[in-house]
Amino acid sequence: MSNPVSFQNILAPDRLPVSRLKVLTVFGTRPEAIKMAPVVQALAQAPDWFDAMVCVTAQHRQMLDQVLRLFNITPDVDLDLMQPNQDLFQITTAVLNGMKQVLSTHQPDVVLVHGDTTTTLATSLAAFYLRIPVGHVEAGLRTYNRFNPFPEEINRVVTDNVASLFFAPTPESRDNLLKMAADPARVYLTGNTVIDALFYTLAQPSTAPLPVALNPERRLVLVTVHRRENFGRPLESICRALRQIVQQHPDVEMVLPVHPNPNVFKTVHAELGGLERLHLIEPLEYEPFCRLMAQATLILTDSGGIQEEGPSLEKPVLVLRHETERPEAVTMGTVRLVGSNEQTILEEVSRLLTDANAYTTMAHAANPYGDGQAAGRIVNALKQFSVALQSA
Ligand code: UD1
Ligand code: UDP
C-alpha cells in the first residue's frame, strides 16, 4: 500500500505497533445495524488484516435483533441496554458506562461507530476518554440547526470532533468535515453503506410473506414516522393528513409500520386505528420492508435511511420534516420536504397521485448516495490505517 498517512498525533503515546488491526464495530439501533452490517461483513472477509469484533449496545432490542438475524451477525458483546421509554440521560449514561467496560477489556486499536444516535455519541466519548481512535461511518452530515434533528445534529457534531477517521458518504458531507478543519488525509469519500445493504438485501430470496394482504390494483403509499421533533402535535397533524389521503384517494392503500417508541405508538394508534385501507403493522424485517419500498408508488417518511433508499429505488420520497441533513436528493429532485402541516402534506401527496408528469419527474431523478461499494472503501481505508499504525 502506498504513501501511508501519519496518524502519530491521534494515537496514545504508549500504543504498541500491531500486526492485525483490532477493530471493534459498535452499534445499537436498527438503522445503525443496517448500515454497519456491510462493514461487519467486509471486515470478516479480510481476516489476515483484521481482528474484528462486534459490540451491540442494544439501544434498540427487537428492531436490532431483526437486522442481526438477516445479516447473520452474532455480536461478541451485547450490552442489552434498552429500557421501555428510555430517556436521553438514561441511555447516554448506560452506553458510556457499558462501553467503558467493553473498551477497557478488549482494548481495540480502533472503534467504528455510525451516524448520529446516542450509542454513537456515548461510544465515541468512551473511546476518546480511553484514547482509542474512532472511525465515524456516515460522517459529516449536517443541518447546522442544533435542534433539528434533535439530538442527532449535536450527536454528529460531537462524534466528528472526537473521530480520527471520517467516512463521508457524499461530497457534501466531505465538505462539511473539511469546513470543520478535519484533516483531509483522514476524510474518505465512500458512498453510503445503506446502498450496500439495500442492494445485498434485494438480491436475497424473500424470507417471509408480508404481514398484510395488499390489493395489487391499488397504489401503495408507504409511511414511517418516529422523530422526536414530530412527537405530539406535529405527529397528530401528520396522522390527520394520512387519514385524509386514504379517504380522498379510494385507489390508495397505505402501510405504516409503527415505531415501538411509546410516543409514536400511542398517537398513531389513537389517530389511525381501524381505518379502511390503512394498515398499521409492527416494524417490518428489513427484507420485506425493502420489498414494500420497491412496490410503493410513493413514500412518506421522517426517517434518515429511507431518504437515501427511496432515490435508489426511483421512488418519490416526501419527508415529514422541515429540514434535512441529507440535502443531496432534495437538490436532485427525488426527495421533497413537506414538514408536518396537514394541508401541505395532503396537497403534495394528491399532486403526485394525480399529476403523472410531476410523479415521473420526481421518480426518475438520480441517486446521490452511493454505488453499493461503500463498505469495501471503508475497509481499504482501515488497511491504510493499519499500515500507518505499524510504522508509527
Ligand atoms: C433512536 C435514535 C434515532 C434513530 C432511531 C431509529 C437516539 C437519540 N435516537 O430513536 O436517531 O433515528 O432510533 O429508529 O439515539 N423501542 C422498543 N423496541 C425497539 C426499539 C425501541 O420497544 O426495538 C422503544 C422502547 O420503549 C425505547 C423507545 O422505543 O425506550 C425509544 O428508543 P430510543 O432508541 O431511545 O429512541 P428512538 O426514538 O428509537
Ligand atoms: N426499516 C425497516 N423496517 C421498517 C421501517 C424501516 O427495516 O418497518 C428500515 C429502513 O429501510 C431504513 C431503516 O430501517 O434502512 C431506517 O430506520 P429508522 O427510520 O428507524 O431510523 P433513521 O434512518 O431515521 O435513523
Side-chain angles (χ1 to χ4, degrees):
M1 192 158 299
S2 62
N3 191 26
V5 180
S6 169
F7 290 94
Q8 280 291 17
N9 61 340
I10 61 172
L11 299 174
D14 53 353
R15 189 160 290 271
L16 297 171
V18 292
S19 49
R20 284 160 80 225
L21 193 74
K22 193 166 183 181
V23 183
L24 182 67
T25 304
V26 183
F27 49 90
T29 66
R30 169 175 66 190
E32 294 165 82
I34 291 169
K35 291 170 165 184
M36 281 302 221
V39 179
V40 170
Q41 290 178 334
L43 286 168
Q45 281 165 15
D48 293 347
W49 280 89
F50 303 111
D51 174 6
M53 291 180 68
V54 172
C55 169
V56 294
T57 64
Q59 174 177 336
H60 285 173
R61 188 70 272 174
Q62 303 88 331
M63 297 203 308
L64 173 74
D65 292 343
Q66 288 180 329
V67 184
L68 295 176
R69 273 196 300 277
L70 174 67
F71 289 94
N72 280 319
I73 296 172
T74 307
D76 300 282
V77 183
D78 187 336
L79 292 175
D80 197 20
L81 294 179
M82 193 193 87
Q83 297 294 322
N85 206 11
Q86 61 209 1
D87 68 25
L88 293 174
F89 294 91
Q90 279 173 305
I91 191 69
T92 304
T93 51
V95 174
L96 192 58
N97 286 321
M99 289 313 303
K100 175 185 176 188
Q101 296 306 326
V102 174
L103 296 175
S104 305
T105 305
H106 295 285
Q107 307 223 354
D109 300 305
V110 62
V111 175
L112 294 185
V113 296
H114 181 278
D116 58 12
T117 70
T118 299
T119 289
T120 316
L121 170 80
T123 300
S124 305
L125 271 183
F128 174 64
Y129 291 158
L130 294 168
R131 299 192 302 177
I132 298 169
V134 171
H136 190 193
V137 179
E138 204 187 76
L141 277 65
R142 295 286 187 275
T143 59
Y144 295 102
N145 177 346
R146 58 174 51 219
F147 292 114
N148 207 333
F150 174 86
E152 289 84 0
E153 175 75 5
I154 292 300
N155 287 352
R156 218 179 269 273
V157 167
V158 174
T159 303
D160 281 334
N161 277 279
V162 166
S164 304
L165 299 171
F166 307 89
F167 305 111
T170 64
E172 285 84 346
S173 49
R174 179 192 53 195
D175 291 348
N176 289 333
L177 292 163
L178 299 179
K179 250 191 262 170
M180 66 158 228
D183 180 347
R186 299 199 208 110
V187 178
Y188 297 87
L189 180 59
T190 60
N192 198 307
T193 56
V194 79
I195 307 300
D196 305 29
L198 179 70
F199 289 172
Y200 168 87
T201 304
L202 286 173
Q204 304 301 308
S206 296
T207 49
L210 290 174
V212 281
L214 296 173
N215 181 340
E217 304 292 311
R218 296 198 181 116
R219 292 185 288 178
L220 172 64
V221 176
L222 181 61
V223 185
T224 79
V225 61
H226 74 277
R227 299 230 81 86
R228 276 179 165 72
E229 304 87 277
N230 279 331
F231 291 173
R233 294 174 75 157
L235 183 53
E236 288 164 16
S237 167
I238 289 168
C239 287
R240 285 195 300 275
L242 299 178
R243 191 189 308 139
Q244 297 259 18
I245 291 163
V246 173
Q247 285 170 349
Q248 291 187 18
H249 298 278
D251 70 331
V252 158
E253 198 148 10
M254 192 175 276
V255 175
L256 197 175
V258 185
H259 194 290
N261 190 322
N263 300 290
V264 177
F265 188 92
K266 283 187 199 145
T267 308
V268 167
H269 278 273
E271 297 282 333
L272 298 175
L275 289 181
E276 208 190 329
R277 291 179 287 107
L278 198 162
H279 308 278
L280 301 181
I281 60 172
E282 292 191 358
L284 270 177
E285 301 261 349
Y286 187 53
E287 187 274 323
F289 189 77
C290 290
R291 260 189 293 148
L292 266 194
M293 284 194 287
Q295 260 176 260
T297 295
L298 68 98
I299 301 173
L300 269 71
T301 191
D302 62 7
S303 161
I306 297 170
Q307 288 177 60
E308 295 151 346
E309 292 162 334
S312 303
L313 298 169
E314 299 199 326
K315 300 296 171 181
V317 179
L318 297 181
V319 178
L320 304 164
R321 294 172 53 180
H322 299 283
E323 288 184 81
T324 182
E325 60 289 338
R326 296 169 169 88
E328 296 86 350
V330 177
T331 307
M332 287 185 162
T334 320
V335 171
R336 182 169 302 146
L337 294 175
V338 295
S340 55
N341 179 273
E342 178 183 351
Q343 203 50 36
T344 310
I345 297 168
L346 180 60
E347 279 169 18
E348 288 289 333
V349 170
S350 297
R351 199 168 65 85
L352 289 174
L353 290 175
T354 53
D355 179 343
N357 281 342
Y359 182 85
T360 308
T361 306
M362 241 185 128
H364 285 194
N367 153 41
Y369 295 115
D371 58 1
Q373 304 295 323
R377 294 190 189 99
I378 291 167
V379 165
N380 283 340
L382 288 168
K383 288 181 181 172
Q384 195 183 350
F385 180 59
S386 180
V387 170
L389 268 193
Q390 287 178 57
S391 52

